[in-house]
Amino acid sequence: MKRLAVLLPLLLAACAAQPPRAAAPAEPEPPKTPALTYAETNLNATLWAQGTVEHDMSYRGIYAQATRQIAVALKQKDWDALPKNERKKPARGLKPAVIVDVDETVLDNSPYQARLIRDGKEFDEFSWDQWCREQRALPTPGALEFAKAAALKGVTVFYLTNRAQHLNEATLANLRSAGFPVADKENVFLGLGTVVEGCEANGSDKGCRRELIGRRYRVLAMVGDQLGDFIDVDNNTVAARAEATRPYEGWFGERWFMLPNPTYGSWDGAVLGNQRSADAPTKHQIRRDALRTD
Ligand SMILES: [Mg+2]
């Protein structure tokens, strides 16, 4: 008891010396979304595209179906795969052709994507040019078989790409070394800057170049990994893309063959509201805000 009597005043004094109780902490701010780099956001998509069975069999299945449809289309003399507004001359009686896009359609550039991830970088023209000039892109799964089967049936394969004009030679060399049939007598490689008389191209839209092919050919099938490989869309918004695609929904898997590309594309531009030059945190937030959660 005696000890407590000594301690009690000390304890009371200590309590009295306590600073006033701090106010209740404010509501914590919601955590900020971390601004992921391009490399980080593209890691899974690139891994998927780079050698998974799911990716490879998607490609092979789509190309196998396209090959079967060539045989069907050849027998039906009015069959045509050009968008209706780009078909200016009746297709009947014209020589048969197919149109393929190049990047991620017949050539696999996933090593370039992988390098960007490894180096923590974003796409830029300089590194892209370097990769293209290496001419080391391999054929995508099923592409070579499709192109060869078409050529064997007397169907001309047109390569319609938006690679910059100064990459034409390197791209052609890569296509040839990969084993693709590139007809020598025809101008079957239609890159950016191809002049099409009587047709004013809107930027890199491919419509005029498709129209050019359609002046001399009946198009049996088209293969691509972007909506723009099939139709031009004036306004690259999510809604406008869906609207433009609607009349042709029945053509996918029949005349148009869309390959899956989760690593890049105009779909991302549409999601971003075409704010491609926005800073990384802004772009990341726009993408998150676009997610559907129910
Ligand atoms: Mg492509």
Side-chain angles (χ1 to χ4, degrees):
M1 277 305 281
K2 191 179 175 187
R3 201 167 168 201
L4 182 64
V6 174
L7 283 174
L8 197 58
L10 289 173
L11 281 169
L12 288 172
C15 288
Q18 289 293 316
R21 201 168 173 172
E27 278 289 305
E29 284 194 10
K32 285 206 168 58
T33 304
L36 296 178
T37 63
Y38 172 85
E40 287 163 313
T41 58
N42 217 16
L43 175 60
N44 270 13
T46 301
L47 282 172
W48 184 84
Q50 198 166 52
T52 62
V53 168
E54 287 80 358
H55 168 273
D56 289 1
M57 294 308 116
S58 298
Y59 268 64
R60 286 201 182 280
I62 291 164
Y63 269 123
Q65 174 65 6
T67 306
R68 286 190 289 271
Q69 288 301 100
I70 287 179
V72 174
L74 276 171
K75 288 181 192 155
Q76 298 184 25
K77 300 301 178 191
D78 288 316
W79 178 291
D80 186 51
L82 272 196
K84 287 161 189 166
N85 61 315
E86 294 170 13
R87 168 55 65 196
K88 306 288 175 158
K89 182 179 178 180
R92 194 180 182 91
L94 300 179
K95 291 180 286 183
V98 292
I99 302 175
V100 297
D101 165 55
V102 173
D103 294 315
E104 274 48 71
T105 295
V106 297
L107 290 183
D108 166 19
N109 301 296
S110 64
Y112 172 70
Q113 300 290 334
R115 291 180 191 183
L116 292 180
I117 294 167
R118 179 195 64 193
D119 301 338
K121 290 189 172 161
E122 292 204 25
F123 173 91
D124 68 75
E125 299 290 347
F126 182 75
S127 60
W128 171 245
D129 281 12
Q130 274 188 324
W131 161 253
C132 293
R133 288 184 198 288
E134 287 180 32
Q135 303 171 22
R136 290 174 61 194
L138 297 173
T140 55
L144 211 48
E145 293 85 341
F146 168 77
K148 284 181 173 176
L152 213 60
K153 289 178 189 294
V155 176
T156 303
V157 182
F158 281 89
Y159 301 89
L160 217 168
T161 179
N162 276 346
R163 281 192 179 186
Q165 224 169 345
H166 63 266
L167 295 170
N168 281 1
E169 287 312 311
T171 308
L172 265 169
N174 196 156
L175 286 169
R176 287 197 169 106
S177 68
F180 284 99
V182 183
D184 286 328
K185 290 179 187 166
E186 308 273 355
N187 187 12
V188 297
F189 183 84
L190 301 176
L192 271 182
T194 303
V195 177
V196 182
E197 265 185 49
C199 189
E200 188 76 34
N202 179 20
S204 59
D205 281 357
K206 292 180 168 180
C208 284
R209 284 172 278 168
R210 285 190 294 263
E211 185 184 317
L212 180 66
I213 295 167
R215 291 175 189 173
R216 292 171 56 214
Y217 289 86
R218 181 164 74 94
V219 179
L220 308 184
M222 303 202 293
V223 190
D225 69 306
Q226 308 280 323
L227 186 57
D229 295 330
F230 305 90
I231 42 172
D232 289 350
V233 181
D234 292 338
N235 196 5
N236 190 42
T237 64
V238 174
R241 288 158 58 85
E243 177 77 21
T245 307
R246 206 160 292 125
Y248 295 101
E249 279 176 1
W251 283 23
F252 288 92
E254 183 199 65
R255 302 167 201 227
W256 293 0
F257 299 90
M258 179 76 85
L259 299 160
N261 180 0
T263 60
Y264 67 88
S266 52
W267 61 267
D268 188 40
V271 167
L272 287 172
N274 298 302
Q275 296 184 62
R276 286 182 187 275
S277 53
D279 59 33
T282 303
K283 286 196 284 195
H284 190 62
Q285 194 59 52
I286 294 171
R287 290 187 180 108
R288 283 187 64 99
D289 291 345
L291 288 171
R292 185 166 55 80
T293 54
D294 56 21

